[in-house]
Amino acid sequence: MAYQAKRSHKVTEDLELINECGEVEKVIHVSLDADEMVRTINDKYVALLNAQKEAQQIRAGKENPETITAAYEKLGNIVVDMFWAVFGVENTKGILDFYGDRTTEMCREVLPFVTQVILPRLRQISQENRKQVMQSYNRQQRRFLNRRK
């Protein structure tokens, strides 16, 4: 009997961009590859949280308008970086085109998809992969120990 190595199925999540009339204008398919995406997206998410905290502290501290503008520009750049990591460059351009200059609305509508759907699903896939690797390792170890007896 030959040893079989099987590829797992691809996991995708969809984001539908719906216009003012309630019609689906664009569907973005996000292919979730836990090996590749988890570290990158987690790093971007941490950077996003830090930038949000920094912007809130600046706003509360009555800083000059240039400092506030710079903080929000940094926050916007981090959001776009995160979108690139999740959706890819072309789909991110599609999202930016869809929302135009309404960046607050874009963040309010799209970021929850990333934080409440994509990140938890990636963590789940990563945990499942780790569990399968450990089960395989334990099975091999048991075989080795049984042979030694």
Side-chain angles (χ1 to χ4, degrees):
M1 179 173 175
Y3 181 83
Q4 296 179 344
K6 182 175 108 177
R7 292 190 66 179
S8 59
H9 66 283
K10 290 187 177 188
V11 178
T12 59
E13 293 287 345
D14 293 336
L15 172 66
E16 295 180 344
L17 300 177
I18 300 173
N19 62 22
E20 295 87 0
C21 300
E23 301 165 342
V24 176
E25 195 166 306
K26 183 175 179 110
V27 177
I28 296 176
H29 306 287
V30 181
S31 180
L32 301 179
D33 179 10
D35 295 334
E36 186 177 313
M37 293 178 79
V38 169
R39 183 175 294 124
T40 303
I41 293 176
N42 278 336
D43 290 346
K44 303 285 183 190
Y45 185 62
V46 169
L48 175 67
L49 293 177
N50 290 335
Q52 280 179 322
K53 186 188 300 182
E54 182 180 318
Q56 288 171 347
Q57 288 172 349
I58 288 173
R59 189 175 61 195
K62 296 185 174 110
E63 298 289 330
N64 62 18
E66 294 84 24
T67 306
I68 294 171
T69 302
Y72 279 104
E73 187 174 315
K74 178 181 175 182
L75 183 60
N77 289 336
I78 291 172
V79 167
V80 171
D81 283 347
M82 177 173 245
F83 284 4
W84 281 350
V86 173
F87 302 111
V89 176
E90 290 301 315
N91 286 331
T92 299
K93 287 179 184 176
I95 292 170
L96 293 172
D97 290 343
F98 178 77
Y99 283 100
D101 61 351
R102 298 178 304 199
T103 54
T104 303
E105 181 182 1
M106 177 185 69
C107 290
R108 189 179 64 236
E109 296 295 324
V110 179
L111 276 176
F113 174 73
V114 173
T115 60
Q116 296 171 8
V117 176
I118 298 297
L119 285 173
R121 189 71 174 114
L122 281 174
R123 289 183 185 122
Q124 178 187 12
I125 292 168
S126 182
Q127 288 172 351
E128 289 170 0
N129 289 347
R130 226 177 287 129
K131 188 186 300 182
Q132 287 175 346
V133 167
M134 291 307 295
Q135 285 175 345
S136 173
Y137 175 75
N138 288 337
R139 197 173 330 140
Q140 290 173 352
Q141 204 172 32
R142 281 193 301 262
R143 285 187 202 152
F144 177 73
L145 292 174
N146 287 339
R147 287 185 194 163
R148 292 180 71 189
K149 291 182 180 179

